[in-house]
Amino acid sequence: MIRPGLSRRLSKEIAGEVLFDRFSRGRYATDASIYQIMPAGVVVARTTDDVAAALDAAREEGLPLTMRGGGTSQCGQTVNSGLVVDTSKYLNRLLELDVEGRRAVVEPGIVLDDLNRLLKPHGLWFPVDVSTASRATIGGMAGNNSCGSRSLRYGTMRDNVIAIDAILADGIRGRFARLDQDAPDEPPRDLVAAMLALGRREAAEIEARFPKVQRRVGGYNLDALMPAAEPINLAHLLVGSEGTLGISTAIEIALSPLPKTTKLLGACHFPTFRAAMDAAQHIVALKPTSVELVDSTMIALARRIDMFVPTLEAFVEGDPAALLLVEFADEADENERSIEALRDVMSGLGYGFGKGGEQEGGVVAVKDAKLQAAIADLRASGLNIMMSMKEAGKPVSFVEDCAVPLEHLADYTDRLTAIFERHGTRGTWYAHASEGCLHVRPVLNVKLDKDVATMRAIAEEAFAMVREYKGSHSGEHGDGIVRSEFHEQMFGARIVRAFEEVKAIFDPSGLLNSGKIVHPPKMDDRSLMRYPPGYAVEDITTAFDWSAWPGAAGGLQGAVEMCNNNGACRKMAGAVMCPSYRVTRNENDVTRGRANTLRLALSGQLGPDALASDDMAETLKLCVSCKACRRECPTGVDMAKMKAEVLYQRGKAKGFSLKDRLIAELPRYAPVAARLTGLLALRDRIPGFAALSERLFGFSRRRTLPIFRRDWFRDGEGDRGEPLSRAGERGVVLFADTFGRWFDPETLRAAVKVLEAGGYSVATASLGRGERPLCCGRTYLAAGLADRAREEARRTIAALLPHVRAGRTIVGLEPSCILTLRDEFLALVPGEDAESVAAGAMLFEEFLVRENRAGRLSLPLGLLDRKAYLHGHCHQKAFGAMSAVEGALRLIPNLDLEVIESSCCGMAGAFGYDAETIDVSLAMGELSLLPAVRSASEDAIIVANGTSCRHQIADGAGRKAVHVAEVLAGALDRPLVAA
């Protein structure tokens, strides 16, 4: 029983955050494993004193304490029933950097990619390059003894950790390092003496029992205590201990020079999986930096994911059963020789392109750095790609990273595949062929008792086989709940008793991360799993069609459960996902946290009516519906659509606010508002009116509202030139979006000008004279009025379908609107009509690029000797449309184009005007977009296709941004040759 005063005590003693509400605890109940344990409370530590205070409280309360970084552990290491302490938000600093000595001291919560960004200007990096580098923390990596794809050259965490400052279970602090180093805060002498004595006593047993493979991270590193020529380093005992022996507060690490930029990648193609496994031992002899496997199942799955298709097309020849990605990172000449040697190895093994059958294969050399990076991203996303299967069964991690000597790799994989088949399942293989540590996940439905029993049976057979080959049952991802109970089978009883002795000396009361490595629960205890006995989801009626996924609520259950908690949404740089998390760094505000909350709410684990609760609304409040997760989450979690669904469910239960209706109904009242624009403009002209609107409607006084234009865009403005009925393929239907029509009509007029200059007849899409203008329903979706959005979708489909059937292209300017036709329409009004409209709708720039490639576009564009900076709308990025807007701008001679590397601008429609979210809105803009715009020269052109983006740039940077159509229209008026 938790003492009620614990939360109050911690709130008084801790500078960070103390989270004891059910929703917050639920978000920390899972990691990237199959397990779920509801913690008593969560502490987001701001200082090491916070960690110490949480430890003291847990000790006095009799609660276990578990440290957590990125929460990406795959074996259940970071879940427990006591206090969970999150270090990732605040304890993430680079404390000390010795460039000459190639060493650094970091706090445990610093993320690997963030650290390497700080080290890069100094020509250094931390080389334990795990696939989760964008969110894995150094503390977590030390706790797991992480390895990375290049461990063949750089070793594991243990090989790269110099020292660890730690707090022990009794609160004593010490520095664990080499014993020949003087440290001001040495561990207690009796502890050191006991460890050295244990190492001497058990040396022979350790030598006999510990696997002789590099990828061995199971149990405690007792071999670090054995007498050796090198001084014993006690930090290496803490590495891999999964936070069960001490709490790291600072970690000293060894750095390496940045790898040569002249890397070469050889993609070895094989006709059978066994052929690739057998070849690995021969390829490793060439001393590559890494050899990574991608099998045919992963290739097939990746081909379904838009972001990976161009990469696969660029380097995969035919339909191989397996690929080995072999990297060389030496001087350019040496790399070329190595690739030739690789070709010789493949040829010597009998493989060649065009040979066919069991000799079909060969090497595709990849020299382009961008393509190499894209391939590395695909390979690193292997886990999530596997998890993108939509059926009820999912690849489950429990024998994932067993490691065997390379000479046994082919036989081991054959035999393990046979075990899977005998149990009625299959597995997908990927990862580190160079180390004999292949990742494999059998497909199981762990909601079913029979599949959980199958999981255990497979584990027992697999681990017995690994022991036979003298391999390691835990080769990379640690022990946690999954593997700890098998230590006695793998190491023998005497070694396990030694593990227990170490734990008892360090932590006699079992306070630190209990149940891991020693005294574990059963790995198949369903009460500890994400889907415990009795797990069920209420079968609600949904607004959207979720039938592509399995489960209750029309498939919404399956869509939400696609989140595997691997945490790709936690990255802080690159692409878009997840912009609100990049500002707040709260688990509440990341796609993973929202998906977990939805799953728990749908399954009744957060209490009755949780889906429509204020806590759920708070969970989703900072989701800007950027749709980046739709593309960038390899399992395809579309939180924007899920948010719209939840807002709809909440609205049904509690009604919609006046603010919601003002946002939603904008397309309906816009014609009246445009005629009263002078009156409405008084809100931002008369002192006090903006403050009044904030109190009444919730629109921030710090924003001026968009101005309805008296010169709004009329449908007839696009109806010029030859009638569409006679225009054939030169006929284009312009979809005039609500925002462009009433706020930025110059963008639509510019588009008409450009299209007509290109020889196209343009007509504006409408239902006919006297009918209300068409709308995509975006504003209704943003407010949760999905039924009204469906009405708009039906009106729009009815108007556009005849044009699409006549072979005409629907062209639109506002990304969030035209892409709604290609996305939400399919879920609101599923069927052939919606699919036809979706297939016939294009962004303005997509249409121009398509026509140019087909040789049908001839625009008389003049020289434009200007610099242009392009900010991409989130939905353009989410739908892979950024290359099109770049391509359209590059039609202009002499235009110097630079793409701003930015996430969401932060405006996101009404989000940026809301008094409750304006601070986060502005902070999103300040991450990269607004500073880049401010630094642009005064005569530079700022291009942003999104209405919201342009308004954010105007408000936050004082610069006018324009649509690509306006840039092209301006270039039409310029001379064709230099003056």
Side-chain angles (χ1 to χ4, degrees), residues 702-704 907 913 922 950-959:
R702 295 154 58 193
R703 292 274 196 194
T704 57
M907 182 62 85
Y913 294 98
L922 292 170
R950 295 194 294 274
H951 288 201
Q952 177 79 311
I953 290 168
D955 286 355
R959 294 288 296 268

Side-chain angles (χ1 to χ4, degrees), residues 36 445-448 526 529-538 551-552 556-558 560-562 595-605:
Q36 175 179 295
N445 182 358
V446 291
K447 297 187 183 80
L448 306 177
R526 282 198 64 197
M529 292 186 182
R530 195 180 302 180
Y531 308 118
Y535 178 88
V537 168
E538 183 183 354
L556 176 61
Q557 173 188 355
V560 170
E561 289 173 358
M562 287 299 291
N596 272 323
T597 307
L598 277 173
R599 176 178 54 80
L600 292 167
L602 285 167
S603 56
Q605 297 180 70

Side-chain angles (χ1 to χ4, degrees), residues 803-866:
H803 294 294
V804 171
R805 287 176 174 166
R808 303 174 192 123
T809 302
I810 311 301
V811 174
L813 271 66
E814 175 61 37
S816 62
C817 293
I818 201 70
L819 295 174
T820 297
L821 276 60
R822 293 184 359 202
D823 186 17
E824 283 86 357
F825 273 26
L826 301 175
L828 285 168
V829 193
E832 291 184 7
D833 290 352
E835 290 170 4
S836 296
V837 169
M842 302 186 77
L843 287 166
F844 170 78
E845 58 271 14
E846 289 178 317
F847 175 76
L848 293 182
V849 169
R850 185 194 74 179
E851 295 297 285
N852 187 59
R853 287 176 178 167
R856 294 190 292 263
L857 181 67
S858 179
L859 279 176
L861 298 170
L863 296 178
L864 193 56
D865 291 305
R866 302 265 302 273

Side-chain angles (χ1 to χ4, degrees), residues 431-761:
H432 318 299
S434 59
E435 302 284 5
C437 180
L438 290 180
H439 296 337
V440 61
R441 293 189 169 200
V443 177
L444 298 166
N445 182 358
V446 291
K447 297 187 183 80
L448 306 177
D449 284 335
K450 69 178 185 66
D451 279 23
V452 173
T454 297
M455 178 179 74
R456 181 170 195 94
I458 291 173
E460 290 175 348
E461 293 182 50
F463 293 157
M465 183 169 54
V466 169
R467 188 173 67 251
E468 176 188 333
Y469 286 126
K470 300 187 185 304
S472 170
H473 69 313
S474 185
E476 178 174 0
H477 294 151
D479 299 330
I481 300 172
V482 170
R483 281 188 278 266
S484 293
E485 71 160 294
F486 295 98
H487 286 335
E488 190 154 333
Q489 179 188 122
M490 300 304 298
F491 292 105
R494 180 167 176 171
I495 289 293
V496 170
R497 300 294 86 76
F499 289 164
E500 293 171 352
E501 183 180 344
V502 171
K503 173 68 171 176
I505 293 170
F506 271 86
D507 180 18
S509 61
L511 177 71
L512 300 178
N513 206 16
S514 60
K516 317 306 187 307
I517 300 182
V518 299
H519 309 304
K522 293 292 186 181
M523 61 92 75
D524 55 337
D525 183 348
R526 282 198 64 197
S527 70
L528 303 178
M529 292 186 182
R530 195 180 302 180
Y531 308 118
Y535 178 88
V537 168
E538 183 183 354
D539 203 9
I540 60 174
T541 300
T542 61
F544 294 94
D545 176 15
W546 301 97
S547 60
W549 292 270
L556 176 61
Q557 173 188 355
V560 170
E561 289 173 358
M562 287 299 291
C563 176
N564 63 29
N565 275 358
N566 196 253
C569 43
R570 287 173 62 94
K571 65 180 180 289
M572 292 297 292
V576 179
M577 182 177 69
C578 179
S580 51
Y581 173 74
R582 295 184 185 190
V583 170
T584 70
R585 298 190 78 139
N586 292 328
E587 186 70 17
N588 183 71
D589 300 319
V590 71
T591 305
R592 176 181 75 179
R594 295 171 184 135
N596 272 323
T597 307
L598 277 173
R599 176 178 54 80
L600 292 167
L602 285 167
S603 56
Q605 297 180 70
L606 297 178
D609 303 318
L611 195 65
S613 68
D614 291 345
D615 285 327
M616 179 58 73
E618 189 68 21
T619 298
L620 295 173
K621 183 170 74 175
L622 297 187
C623 172
V624 293
S625 300
C626 65
K627 300 192 78 71
C629 50
R630 178 191 182 276
R631 177 179 175 85
E632 295 173 33
C633 171
T635 60
V637 174
D638 187 345
M639 188 51 60
K641 195 176 296 181
M642 292 175 187
K643 178 180 180 178
E645 181 70 63
V646 173
L647 292 177
Y648 168 75
Q649 299 294 339
R650 178 178 169 84
K652 280 202 308 181
K654 298 190 173 185
F656 294 95
S657 68
L658 176 59
K659 181 177 71 174
D660 291 335
R661 293 192 178 279
L662 280 172
I663 292 167
E665 299 290 358
L666 187 151
R668 287 183 176 269
Y669 65 73
V672 176
R675 290 177 170 85
L676 300 175
T677 185
L679 181 62
L680 295 176
L682 295 178
R683 183 265 188 189
D684 295 319
R685 293 176 182 171
I686 297 178
F689 273 33
L692 179 63
S693 78
E694 180 173 305
R695 287 196 298 273
L696 293 176
F697 310 122
F699 296 120
S700 174
R701 70 185 75 187
R702 295 154 58 193
R703 292 274 196 194
T704 57
L705 296 181
I707 298 173
F708 288 91
R709 296 278 289 272
R710 289 192 178 94
D711 62 335
W712 69 82
F713 184 85
R714 274 75 170 175
D715 286 346
E717 293 185 60
D719 300 336
R720 298 199 300 267
E722 188 175 18
L724 290 184
S725 58
R726 295 201 301 270
E729 67 178 15
R730 310 296 291 179
V732 174
V733 179
L734 180 67
F735 183 80
D737 62 278
T738 296
F739 310 109
R741 180 186 295 273
W742 302 107
F743 299 132
D744 298 314
E746 60 275 6
T747 61
L748 292 164
R749 293 179 180 123
V752 171
K753 179 179 179 179
V754 172
L755 290 169
E756 290 182 341
Y760 299 92
S761 293

Side-chain angles (χ1 to χ4, degrees), residues 196 199-201 203 223-230 232:
L196 295 179
R200 289 191 297 270
R201 186 190 77 213
D223 55 332
L225 302 173
M226 294 170 60
E230 289 290 321
I232 288 174

